[in-house]
Amino acid sequence: MRAKNIQCVAVVLLLTMAIRAAAQFATLEAPAAPAGYLARLLVNEAAFPGERGYVSEMDSKAAMLSILWVLHSRVHHIPAGYSQKQICAVNTDDVLAVITAPNQCEGFFRNAAGQPDVEPRVTARLENLLRIANSGEAPGRFAGLLNFAQGLATAYLAGGIPGADRYAGLTVVNRLAVTGRAYAWMTDQDFYDPGGNFVTIPDSLEGSLGGNRFFTLRKEPK
Amino acid sequence: MKRLCWLLLIFVLAAHWPAQAGETPSAVFAAPSSPPAEVLAETYLYDIMGHLYRWYLDESDIEGLAGIRQFPFWVRRLTVELDPGDRSQLAEIVLPLLNLAVRVKKADYTIEDWGVAVTSKTFRIINVARMSEPPAQAAEAVEVTVELAQMKDYLFATRERAQYPDDVLRAHLRAALLANFQLEPDKANVGGHIVHVAPLSPVANELWAFVEDKKLLVRFAADLDLDNPALWEHQAIAIRTYDLLRQTVVSLHEMPGSNEFLTRDQVGRALFNCILLGRKY
């Protein structure tokens, strides 16, 4: 009888461990897959709990969506008076090429074989985020943010951009006529101007999301 | 005993069943109210100015204050939508005579995934913005005015004052540098790597270091306090690095829209803090 009881408890404990081991609350597609690469950029650019710039899960998700809109606008919504190359240093209809354009998205580039690649620090941070997301007893905010990024990237590449562009309707910023939509973002660098024809979208117009500042363009290029 | 086993099994399964989407309680809004008292304190505002003096202000900023006797700060509590259970407070301090806006945060939340409490001892700077034109005072902002001459004297008198990382923090920093940049431990042990660490700021939760032989600028910044061991357990989330030879430009206008570069001006300030005011290890 005692042996049976011990057996029973052992089964329960083993089951517990198996469930824990199997808990995979967040996953990203492989970096070689376009949706996996795009998801990595969205994750890389948004603040997670505990990081500088973190406000809330909703704010960081909004930042990911706005970053996706920047990439999308750089491909599909080049304003009159601008060439695509002026805005994102490349002529392309491929959003991955916008990400890997020279000197545009820090840590994202094409390697010697011409494949999209990321710097080791991007991978190191991502591995930490995944470890935290998958170490709890139930899916939490880390898992929510990682899965949101992957879902957004997959949905975008499969069927276009979801959601609304919060900056699409911008016409004037600080009495300066602007094109609307965002065309750049920067992290933690509000003290400095991003250069060229980029115009800071102020806090009053929700220009600061997930630890990033977003920028639109002057209506009349300088 | 069999029944007990089944109960135990049901309990275990229930405890590990993934939470359903939408289970979280609705978001809360911090009630609009007066600014937090500690952000209104003159000593705190002096510390903010001390930080700006080291990291942001130029001679033209100081010269532009000629003839001014009273220096105003406009302070307001920021009402932002936080995660459920997050009791963090945010405030904005506008320096209208310098066209600067400083955002500060006193974090107070728990990262449940991680089992870590994120609590700041004081309000810490999370952003500094230079405004393109003179700002208008927000209706809810409280004006705190200080004697400019007195504040200038304070800034001048304390311009060399510095607090450096203690042994524990230095050990964390060393381990993080070795882990992240493949710096060779043996070489480090014989002093092969020259690392300059900037003084800590009482109002910014960040640590800057310059690895001289790699020409690498490193910043650790997080909501988690630097002295919280949890931060260093997952330090990859707090690091930002700059290869100064490759990532420095005179003006960001050279590479408009890129998020990859620092200006020479920014780099100069960082090196001033790391090398001149900092300590070499």
Side-chain angles (χ1 to χ4, degrees):
Chain A
M1 183 65 180
R2 178 178 284 184
K4 221 173 189 182
N5 286 347
I6 291 172
Q7 244 179 351
C8 191
V9 172
V11 167
V12 170
L13 286 175
L14 279 173
L15 193 58
T16 306
M17 287 165 71
I19 290 169
R20 276 192 182 210
Q24 195 70 10
F25 304 123
T27 51
L28 291 190
E29 288 184 34
Y37 194 72
L38 176 56
R40 274 162 181 73
L41 178 81
L42 301 180
V43 169
N44 189 60
E45 300 296 331
F48 276 58
E51 290 188 309
R52 184 181 164 120
Y54 180 74
V55 174
S56 67
E57 187 175 345
M58 196 184 295
D59 183 72
S60 289
K61 286 178 176 173
M64 291 183 195
L65 187 58
S66 292
I67 285 165
L68 184 60
W69 263 105
V70 168
L71 302 172
H72 181 78
S73 297
R74 284 179 169 199
V75 174
H76 297 289
H77 298 285
I78 301 301
Y82 289 88
S83 70
Q84 188 184 27
K85 203 161 188 178
Q86 275 179 300
I87 295 173
C88 60
V90 71
N91 286 318
T92 184
D93 57 1
D94 175 11
V95 77
L96 293 196
V98 169
I99 297 172
T100 57
N103 303 318
Q104 291 299 300
C105 301
E106 194 203 354
F108 291 73
F109 59 94
R110 281 192 190 272
N111 59 27
Q115 300 303 313
D117 205 346
V118 296
E119 284 179 3
R121 67 162 186 83
V122 174
T123 306
R125 175 175 174 267
L126 179 69
E127 283 170 357
N128 267 284
L129 298 177
L130 281 165
R131 198 175 308 134
I132 295 168
N134 291 321
S135 63
E137 308 252 319
R141 295 212 168 89
F142 280 69
L145 286 166
L146 289 162
N147 291 334
F148 179 82
Q150 185 59 76
L152 193 58
T154 304
Y156 174 71
L157 292 174
I161 193 149
D165 182 353
R166 68 183 62 229
Y167 306 127
L170 287 183
T171 53
V172 174
V173 171
N174 287 335
R175 291 181 287 186
L176 183 69
V178 296
T179 60
R181 305 188 189 281
Y183 289 91
W185 77 89
M186 294 175 90
T187 313
D188 279 343
Q189 297 210 60
D190 270 9
F191 195 74
Y192 291 87
D193 177 302
N197 290 299
F198 289 95
V199 177
T200 303
I201 302 175
D203 289 351
S204 57
L205 298 170
E206 299 182 313
S208 173
L209 292 169
N212 291 283
R213 173 67 60 186
F214 289 87
F215 304 91
T216 186
L217 286 163
R218 297 169 65 101
K219 180 112 182 140
E220 301 298 333
K222 284 191 273 190
Chain B
M1 187 62 195
K2 213 178 232 174
R3 189 177 293 166
L4 179 66
C5 284
W6 276 112
L7 282 173
L8 205 53
L9 182 64
I10 289 165
F11 174 77
V12 166
L13 283 171
H16 287 84
W17 207 256
Q20 297 300 304
E23 270 185 359
T24 49
S26 57
V28 290
F29 282 90
S33 56
S34 55
E38 62 185 279
V39 181
L40 292 169
E42 202 168 286
T43 48
Y44 179 79
L45 296 172
Y46 268 38
D47 281 341
I48 290 283
M49 273 306 284
H51 183 85
L52 297 175
Y53 184 82
R54 280 194 182 165
W55 286 94
Y56 295 94
L57 297 187
D58 286 319
E59 53 188 314
S60 59
D61 290 314
I62 305 294
E63 287 162 7
L65 297 176
I68 303 285
R69 295 184 62 183
Q70 301 289 317
F71 187 87
F73 295 87
W74 296 338
V75 186
R76 66 179 176 127
R77 184 185 290 273
L78 290 178
T79 305
V80 294
E81 193 171 0
L82 301 171
D83 290 328
D86 187 342
R87 295 168 300 282
S88 301
Q89 300 180 71
L90 286 96
E92 181 187 62
I93 302 163
V94 172
L95 291 69
L97 297 182
L98 297 173
N99 286 1
L100 288 177
V102 180
R103 263 192 193 196
V104 294
K105 178 178 183 181
K106 189 173 187 180
D108 184 7
Y109 59 95
T110 301
I111 306 175
E112 280 154 12
D113 319 50
W114 194 353
V116 168
V118 183
T119 48
S120 312
K121 296 181 194 84
T122 57
F123 280 84
R124 302 282 175 71
I125 291 174
I126 53 171
N127 194 23
V128 177
R130 174 79 82 174
M131 293 172 285
S132 55
E133 52 185 59
Q137 184 173 3
E140 71 275 25
V142 171
E143 181 169 298
V144 180
T145 305
V146 301
E147 293 284 338
L148 182 60
Q150 206 174 317
M151 188 166 71
K152 275 170 129 174
D153 288 348
Y154 170 83
L155 292 173
F156 183 79
T158 58
R159 70 193 191 285
E160 293 169 45
R161 187 181 292 172
Q163 186 204 337
Y164 299 103
D166 59 18
D167 290 347
V168 176
L169 189 52
R170 273 212 322 275
H172 284 313
L173 174 65
R174 185 173 182 279
L177 290 175
L178 291 173
N180 281 278
F181 309 115
Q182 291 80 46
L183 301 183
E184 299 158 46
D186 292 342
K187 203 177 172 195
N189 286 343
V190 295
H193 299 298
I194 305 163
V195 180
H196 303 263
V197 180
L200 298 170
S201 165
V203 289
N205 188 44
E206 58 187 23
L207 176 62
W208 289 84
F210 174 57
V211 186
E212 188 181 317
D213 50 306
K214 297 265 182 188
K215 294 187 170 48
L216 200 66
L217 185 63
V218 184
R219 188 189 76 172
F220 294 87
D223 261 4
L224 279 163
D225 272 358
L226 290 169
D227 58 9
N228 187 333
L231 171 69
W232 300 95
E233 193 186 319
H234 293 281
Q235 25 79 7
I237 69 166
I239 287 186
R240 177 117 196 200
T241 59
Y242 303 93
D243 174 348
L244 290 187
L245 271 185
R246 193 178 62 78
Q247 288 179 264
T248 304
V249 289
V250 171
S251 161
L252 295 177
H253 288 250
E254 291 173 57
M255 291 301 297
S258 170
N259 63 11
E260 196 167 330
F261 295 94
L262 291 174
T263 64
R264 192 173 61 193
D265 177 47
Q266 282 173 294
V267 172
R269 291 166 203 266
L271 295 183
F272 173 80
N273 280 282
C274 290
I275 298 175
L276 256 71
L277 292 178
R279 270 202 182 146
K280 186 163 82 172
Y281 298 105

